[in-house]
Amino acid sequence: MSRRSGILEFAVLGLLREAPMHGYELRKRLNTSLGIFRAFSYGTLYPCLKTLVANGWLIEEPGSAPEDALAASLAGRRAKIVYRLTAEGKEHFEELLSHTGPDTWEDEHFAARFAFFGQTEREVRMRVLEGRRSRLEERLEKMRASLARTRERLDDYTLELQRHGMESVEREVRWLNELIESERAGRDQRQPASESSPQQDNTSGETGGLPRHRGAESSGGTPPGHSIPPDPSEDTAK
C-alpha cells in the first residue's frame, strides 16, 4: 500500500465513523474538510472503498430513500450505495488512531491525523504533535544550513523563495508550540478534578483546555489540512 492510499483509507474510515455516506458525500467531505484531498478523483476513491469492503471494514447498503431508488431504476441508473463502518472497521480505525510513528509527522499524514484529533486520545495527540515539531525543527535546521552554504550563489528571487519557505516552517513550529502548551494546560487542569471526582470521562478526545480554532489564527501558523511548501533549498544546495 502506498503512503497516499493509506492516508485516504484512514480518512475514509474516520469520516464514516461519524456517519454512513455514499460516494459523492464522501468525496465532498474529503474535498472540503480535508484539503489534502482536493485533487483526487472518483477513480481514486472507489477502488479504496472496494478495498475497505473486501477487508470487512465497510459494508455496502442501498440508499435509504425509496423514491430515489425508484427514480434511478426508471432512469436506468444504479441506486446510490451507502457505505457504513463495521465493528471491525471501527476497531481498525481506532488502532490507526493510536499509531504515532514517524509517518504521522509527515505533511499529508499529519494533516489527516490532525483532522481527527477530536477522536484521538490526549497522550497520542501529544506524541504526534511533539513528533511533528521535532521533524519540522530538523527540516528548519537543514534549510538554514543550506541557505548559509548557497546564499552567495543565489539571485534575489531564489533567495526570497528560500526565506519564505523557512518562515512558513517557523510559523508552523510556533503554532505547534502553542497547541502543545494548550494540551499540557488542559491535562494539568483535568488532573485535580480526576483525583477528587469519581466520574469517568467517556470521551476519547479529552479536548480539555485546547482553544478551538486558536492555533492557526493567533500564531499565523499553517492550519490543518495544508501542507508545508516544499523546501526549495534541497534543489539549490545540490
Side-chain angles (χ1 to χ4, degrees):
M1 180 192 303
S2 68
R3 176 179 296 179
R4 181 75 171 181
S5 62
I7 299 171
L8 179 58
E9 289 185 5
F10 172 82
V12 168
L13 291 172
L15 290 175
L16 291 177
R17 189 185 185 189
E18 300 173 2
M21 301 180 203
H22 55 69
Y24 175 78
E25 290 173 315
L26 269 172
R27 184 170 184 261
K28 185 176 180 181
R29 288 291 305 278
L30 289 165
N31 281 333
T32 57
S33 302
L34 302 176
I36 60 175
F37 296 109
R38 287 195 186 97
F40 91 109
S41 65
Y42 284 111
T44 303
L45 176 59
Y46 282 103
C48 172
L49 291 170
K50 294 299 182 184
T51 298
L52 296 175
V53 170
N55 288 339
W57 297 329
L58 301 182
I59 57 174
E60 296 176 329
E61 299 176 339
S64 58
E67 62 273 14
D68 291 345
L70 177 60
S73 176
L74 292 175
R77 302 192 307 270
R78 294 176 56 190
K80 290 181 180 179
I81 294 175
V82 174
Y83 296 90
R84 182 184 298 275
L85 196 65
T86 64
E88 293 80 4
K90 181 178 180 181
E91 182 179 350
H92 178 63
F93 179 68
E94 290 173 351
E95 291 176 358
L96 295 176
L97 278 180
S98 67
H99 179 57
T100 60
D103 58 322
T104 65
W105 311 339
E106 301 299 335
D107 294 343
E108 290 187 345
H109 207 145
F110 173 76
R113 286 299 302 268
F114 193 93
F116 296 101
F117 262 22
Q119 305 178 42
T120 305
E121 296 288 347
R122 181 188 302 278
E123 293 305 318
V124 174
R125 291 198 303 260
M126 284 290 291
R127 288 196 294 270
V128 173
L129 289 172
E130 290 172 346
R132 173 66 174 174
R133 180 176 63 181
S134 176
R135 178 58 49 87
L136 289 184
E137 287 173 342
E138 292 173 2
R139 182 185 301 178
L140 190 57
E141 193 64 29
K142 291 179 181 178
M143 295 172 75
R144 287 169 175 161
S146 175
L147 183 60
R149 290 194 307 268
T150 61
R151 181 188 299 272
E152 295 181 357
R153 302 198 303 269
L154 301 179
D155 61 53
D156 291 342
Y157 294 101
T158 304
L159 184 61
E160 192 61 32
L161 182 62
Q162 292 203 18
R163 286 173 174 164
H164 173 70
M166 288 176 55
E167 290 171 358
S168 297
V169 177
E170 289 169 345
R171 282 196 300 271
E172 186 171 357
V173 170
R174 290 195 297 269
W175 175 66
L176 289 167
N177 285 335
E178 185 175 271
L179 289 175
I180 290 169
E181 289 306 312
S182 295
E183 290 284 354
R184 287 174 177 163
R187 180 184 59 194
D188 294 342
Q189 290 169 7
R190 286 180 55 84
Q191 189 66 29
S194 64
E195 292 175 354
S196 60
S197 173
Q199 294 181 350
Q200 181 178 2
D201 186 356
N202 293 322
T203 58
S204 64
E206 295 184 355
T207 53
L210 179 62
R212 292 185 179 274
H213 310 302
R214 178 186 172 198
E217 294 174 358
S218 62
S219 65
T222 304
H226 291 259
S227 299
I228 289 293
D231 178 4
S233 65
E234 293 180 358
D235 294 332
T236 56
K238 295 180 181 179

